[in-house]
Amino acid sequence: MRKLGFTLAEVLITLGIIGVIATLTLPTLMSNTAEREYSTALKKAISALTESVQMQVALENISFDEMVDASDDTDTEMNSLYAFLCNRMQTEKYAASKAEACDDNLGADASGDEPACLGYGSMMGQGNVAMFFRDGSAIIYKAADVISTNKCTDAMGEEVNCFKVVYDVNGFKKPNMLANCAGQNGRAKDPSGYVTAQGDATECDSKNFVARDQYPVVLRGVGAYPNSPAARYMFNRK
């Protein structure tokens, strides 16, 4: 009489094949998922920044071009980047030092008496600050930045004043590194010097793009725009 079913050997072989396939495909699937999450967050941030500055223009007649004061928490005038973020964006925390760039919910460090920092404070670099938003993201920029000290090229190829910032799509969460097109890892030491620091001077494609959680963004006029090949690649990702 013929018996129906599978032998133990057949079941083990099948499970082994499934395991091999999962090992080969899961990293790619997870990477694609992370890329889509980063892309969605970057597009959302650029859209929110653009809508907010357009509202600012309508209510205060002040665009990014008119924000001339030092952009730190000592200046609450409407024409500073700090005041713009506080008044027009859903901000939660301003961090100007390593001590302040700690998440109070992370618990104590190895000594048991300080909140863990995940290296975020030292990552910001000399003179840099971070503004954290309610959705968990953050924007990094120079505390004493004055828009007239930065120059960018607009869509017409003309030189204009601008703010150069780094947008971190998930804030404190790692890896806290800049996306790039050169297969490199790095931290956002200086929002205005990311090209030199990261070697990110080439155009991106699917072969050389390295997805990370930080993206350079430029603020000028009445809009926010991706400001590196990696940021443009991610922003245009479908």
Side-chain angles (χ1 to χ4, degrees):
M1 184 177 187
R2 185 177 180 183
K3 293 182 179 180
L4 299 177
F6 299 98
T7 66
L8 178 59
E10 291 172 330
V11 172
L12 292 175
I13 290 172
T14 302
L15 290 175
I17 293 173
I18 294 174
V20 170
I21 294 174
T23 301
L24 295 174
T25 58
L26 278 178
T28 300
L29 291 174
M30 292 176 66
S31 176
N32 288 339
T33 300
E35 281 191 26
R36 290 189 180 279
E37 290 178 353
Y38 293 164
S39 176
T40 299
L42 178 63
K43 292 175 182 179
K44 179 181 176 182
I46 287 179
S47 175
L49 286 164
T50 298
E51 290 177 2
S52 295
V53 75
Q54 290 174 351
M55 180 184 295
Q56 173 111 334
V57 171
L59 296 177
E60 305 289 343
N61 197 29
I62 298 174
S63 68
F64 286 128
D65 291 339
E66 282 79 45
M67 294 180 195
V68 296
D69 289 354
S71 299
D72 58 28
D73 63 343
T74 63
D75 185 357
T76 56
E77 296 296 324
M78 286 304 297
N79 59 344
S80 73
L81 180 57
Y82 169 81
F84 164 76
L85 293 172
C86 286
N87 288 284
R88 301 291 176 226
M89 303 289 289
Q90 294 185 333
T91 57
E92 191 167 72
K93 187 173 185 178
Y94 172 83
S97 67
K98 184 172 183 179
E100 293 175 349
C102 297
D103 187 341
D104 296 333
N105 297 320
L106 291 175
D109 62 10
S111 64
D113 56 8
E114 293 290 339
C117 293
L118 294 182
Y120 213 94
S122 60
M123 180 213 70
M124 293 191 309
Q126 184 66 33
N128 289 348
V129 298
M131 182 72 80
F132 294 88
F133 302 112
R134 292 178 187 172
D135 64 359
S137 63
I139 190 169
I140 305 166
Y141 61 96
K142 284 191 170 298
D145 227 353
V146 177
I147 197 167
S148 60
T149 63
N150 292 318
K151 300 296 180 181
C152 296
T153 303
D154 64 12
M156 303 299 294
E158 298 180 357
E159 191 176 70
V160 294
N161 296 334
C162 63
F163 286 112
K164 293 179 179 179
V165 303
V166 170
Y167 179 72
D168 189 322
V169 302
N170 55 12
F172 285 106
K173 293 182 180 179
K174 292 183 179 181
N176 292 334
M177 293 181 178
L178 284 168
N180 63 83
C181 308
Q184 297 182 7
N185 293 329
R187 301 183 185 281
K189 293 293 186 183
D190 184 348
S192 64
Y194 66 91
V195 172
T196 301
Q198 299 304 311
D200 193 11
T202 60
E203 290 303 317
C204 262
D205 57 37
S206 59
K207 295 180 179 178
N208 63 8
F209 176 68
V210 179
R212 293 292 183 264
D213 55 353
Q214 294 178 342
Y215 297 87
V217 173
V218 62
L219 311 177
R220 55 178 169 80
V222 292
Y225 309 91
N227 196 35
S228 75
R232 287 188 289 272
Y233 176 85
M234 190 59 95
F235 182 76
N236 294 320
R237 190 183 192 281
K238 297 189 185 289

